[in-house]
Amino acid sequence: MNFAERAKELVSKMTLEERMAQLCNKAPAIERLGVPSYDWWNEALHGVARAGTATVFPQAIAMASSFNDDLLEQVGDVISDEARAKYNVYKKFGGTEIYQGLTECAPNINIFRDPRWGRGQETFGEDPYLTGRMGAAYVRGMQGNGKSKYRKVDTTLKHFAVHSGPEGKRHGFNAVVSEKDLRETYLYAFKYCIDHADAASVMGAYNAVNGEPATGGKHLVEDILYGEWGFQGYMVSDAGSVKDIHEGHKFTKNEVESAAFALNAGCHLNIGTSYRELPQAYAMGLVSEETITKACEKLFETRFRLGMFDEDCEYNNISYDCVECDAHRALNRQMARESIVLLKNDGILPLKTPKTIAVIGPNADRVSLLLGNYNGIPSRYATILRGIQEATDARVLYSAGVFPSTTSQMSDIYREAVVTAERADVVILCVGLNPSMEGEEGIDAPNSANCGDRADIELPKRQQELIRRVVAVGKPTVLVNVSGSCVNLCEADRLCNAVVQLFYAGAEGGRALADVLLGKVSPSGRLPVTFYRSTDDLPPFEDYSMENRTYKFFKGDPLYAFGHGLTYSNIIETPLDENTVEVFNEGPYDTAYSVLKYEYIPHKSLCGFKKIFVRAGERITVRFD
């Protein structure tokens, strides 16, 4: 029998009450049928998350900067190995608990339409095509890319759909969009990942779209996802999003009606507790036995496809020894290197054997800046300061300069930074944001006054003053901005000799940055988002129209454009025909390099990219399909 037939046979032996109980994420055991308990909720955004030690890769927005979907597919393969390894040992306890399973709530392929959204760091940026390509690569790597009749893990595309803030209003927010923006921008990557990577699952968003709750909306779920696209996977709610249908959106009267509404629309699994009301909904005639049974069959087909009931599933042999092993850490460092974006360089980089390096700033030695959010715990890691200390024989001086908060007991917070800069040949000035300032409502960003979002794109005022005072010392200065999103770097661009963007870079981030600063590798990252000059450049945050948003539609002059990123060499692209370009490295450095292809429809739109490695003096011909 195939997986669907096996699921149908098993479910037929369950009572109706047992079937309904299986539709919540905490699915209980059915001992008489040999079904162990299973919690469907697991996280793997950029590594196995919230389940202890794991290889923590760069945050998703950082990996998007690599413009290297082949490398990202390898990352997905490694992460799913670690997820399998953990599942293999935890299932021996008789069942799995939250964050121990094979059904991963990742990737987040929402469009990062506005830099004030705190969760934008979880996405692959502002471009639908880039998001689709990177998302599909991640899904293929995670799920096993069809190499076996079993799936290694399930991925869940989230959040379906039109979801990118405001965080504080998300449980009742109604995103109003035109059909054009819906199709071209907000849904494109979802369809791409389903068509090109056979994504197992889709997660409904908290918000409503044009008046319909996203978790069960007729137009989104019934008409488009299942109707037009013919999606064959399963749909899950976000945590508590079924409850939002009546509490936040007032679309139904109570939780019983909300549970029936979501299940009838095709939301098979409830992450939360709302589906505990299904017995009452069934008794009231709001949901049929057939609908309940089909949902249960779909979920057990998935569990069979994951090999949960088969001893001969080859993924059962993945050992726990792979977790944070040397090979995984090496891949992590490679991805971190390719994620670093050089925004400005007057020739100061790579550093030319300085005798004394001053590493200054609040982001120089903070572990949280490596991790972003939805992260695991690395047992070995390197902050920026530690990475530089490990990589050079030069004397390395350090000053935090300023802190997120001050107390009356502190002395002048800038003097030590100035004194440290005075004693150095070159300054590495580490500023920016941190995950306590941007993240998810109710979970991350305790230092945000906007439920994880930002009111503006400015650096904290104390950091702005720190930059001015350190630069005034007169030493060559490299500014490293650490953030998960766009920050106004106009003053830094004007004052500093070089500017580097380090998105939350993972456990190997400090070592990878040292590799770039000291010239062991040439930088090759490109921005997956626009870096604007001012908050005034942005439309109202709650406006979901794409008018004047992202590089496609922005009418102003950005400081750093989408796709911007320098190398240490001089790369010349010469078009040979509409789909072919010659890449010539006329500079002195070997370097990785991303070739981007755009079309104009009539606005500029990314339609292709390829990551290559080109040696000094080498010419490579790159052809796009």
Side-chain angles (χ1 to χ4, degrees), residues 384-401:
I384 295 173
L385 174 64
R386 307 303 171 188
I388 293 172
Q389 288 173 330
E390 290 179 8
T392 181
D393 293 329
R395 185 184 182 197
V396 179
L397 308 177
Y398 168 62
S399 169

Side-chain angles (χ1 to χ4, degrees), residues 568-581:
Y568 288 154
S569 211
N570 184 27
I571 306 298
I572 299 174
E573 293 187 29
T574 304
L576 301 181
D577 60 40
E578 184 179 354
N579 293 308
T580 310
V581 61

Side-chain angles (χ1 to χ4, degrees), residues 31 253 505 527:
E31 294 183 4
K253 295 178 181 178
L527 290 178

Side-chain angles (χ1 to χ4, degrees), residues 443-600:
I443 297 176
D444 306 307
N447 291 339
S448 168
N450 299 280
C451 298
D453 295 328
R454 292 188 291 149
D456 55 49
I457 63 170
E458 305 303 319
L459 284 170
K461 291 187 182 299
R462 283 193 289 269
Q463 293 189 33
Q464 295 178 35
E465 182 63 22
L466 177 68
I467 294 171
R468 298 180 193 116
R469 295 203 188 189
V470 170
V471 170
V473 173
K475 299 298 177 72
T477 301
V478 177
L479 183 130
V480 177
N481 179 69
V482 187
S483 65
S485 54
C486 153
V487 172
N488 177 1
L489 296 177
C490 290
E491 187 172 29
D493 180 84
R494 179 173 56 85
L495 294 177
C496 299
N497 301 89
V499 179
V500 175
Q501 175 61 30
L502 188 72
F503 294 106
Y504 303 132
E508 295 295 318
R511 296 186 181 99
L513 180 63
D515 291 340
V516 168
L517 295 179
L518 298 170
K520 186 174 182 179
V521 296
S522 170
S524 63
R526 291 180 179 267
L527 290 178
V529 291
T530 301
F531 268 51
Y532 301 95
R533 295 177 180 271
S534 168
T535 309
D536 294 338
D537 289 336
L538 305 174
F541 186 27
E542 296 182 13
D543 181 0
Y544 266 75
S545 167
M546 292 307 296
E547 178 72 18
N548 205 32
R549 289 192 183 281
T550 75
Y551 78 98
K552 287 187 176 186
F553 308 107
F554 182 52
K555 298 180 177 66
D557 177 31
L559 176 63
Y560 304 119
F562 172 92
H564 175 68
L566 307 175
T567 73
Y568 288 154
S569 211
N570 184 27
I571 306 298
I572 299 174
E573 293 187 29
T574 304
L576 301 181
D577 60 40
E578 184 179 354
N579 293 308
T580 310
V581 61
E582 180 188 79
V583 179
F584 174 43
N585 184 351
E586 85 167 356
Y589 296 95
D590 301 343
T591 187
Y593 183 77
S594 291
V595 184
L596 309 187
K597 185 177 189 297
Y598 293 95
E599 60 185 356
Y600 294 83

